[in-house]
Amino acid sequence: QVQLVESGGGLVPTGGSLKLSCTASASIFGSNAMAWYRQAPGKQRELVATLTSGGATDYAGSVKGRFTISRDTARNTLYLQMNSLKPEDTAVYSCNAPVSGYSGAFKYTWGQGTQVTVSS
């Protein structure tokens, strides 16, 4: 069973930057669309950024122009570079592979996520 391990979170001031990593226990990025999600306390999980197997990217409007999703297939690692962070970006960030055509379905068990806290 594929395991996903997120890392790189932390506490940063408004306007700061962080780079998150999601490392998989198997080579999954070349054949799957992958995505970063976040969940703030009391809120539903939100799609942040998507990277298709072909390399196309898409972003939530709230992060477009500030976040960049990328991958290193050789290292089985997905990244999320986050710049110009805002307090509303505070959340637990996780990665997974969405199942095409099935909203809310994912291919892998969720990892523990990584906490991002942006101070005002």
Side-chain angles (χ1 to χ4, degrees):
Q1 186 172 359
V2 174
Q3 292 184 323
L4 301 171
V5 179
E6 298 91 351
S7 62
L11 172 64
V12 295
T14 297
S17 297
L18 283 173
K19 186 173 185 177
L20 307 183
S21 299
C22 168
T23 301
S25 59
S27 299
I28 62 172
F29 298 137
S31 57
N32 288 294
M34 295 296 299
W36 281 98
Y37 301 83
R38 67 186 180 187
Q39 187 165 20
K43 296 188 176 181
Q44 290 190 334
R45 183 166 50 217
E46 173 189 17
L47 175 63
V48 175
T50 302
L51 175 62
T52 70
S53 58
T57 59
D58 196 17
Y59 299 91
S62 60
V63 307
K64 194 170 293 185
R66 300 188 297 123
F67 290 11
T68 302
I69 187 171
S70 63
R71 69 187 176 210
D72 184 333
T73 303
R75 294 177 183 270
N76 296 333
T77 302
L78 184 74
Y79 301 103
L80 186 68
Q81 176 67 48
M82 306 187 297
N83 299 326
S84 303
L85 283 162
K86 304 175 181 181
E88 51 264 43
D89 295 318
T90 295
V92 175
Y93 286 72
S94 302
C95 70
N96 212 319
V99 176
S100 179
Y102 292 87
S103 179
F106 305 94
K107 290 188 177 181
Y108 306 112
T109 300
W110 291 95
Q112 83 287 352
T114 186
Q115 175 72 48
V116 172
T117 303
V118 184
S119 61
S120 57

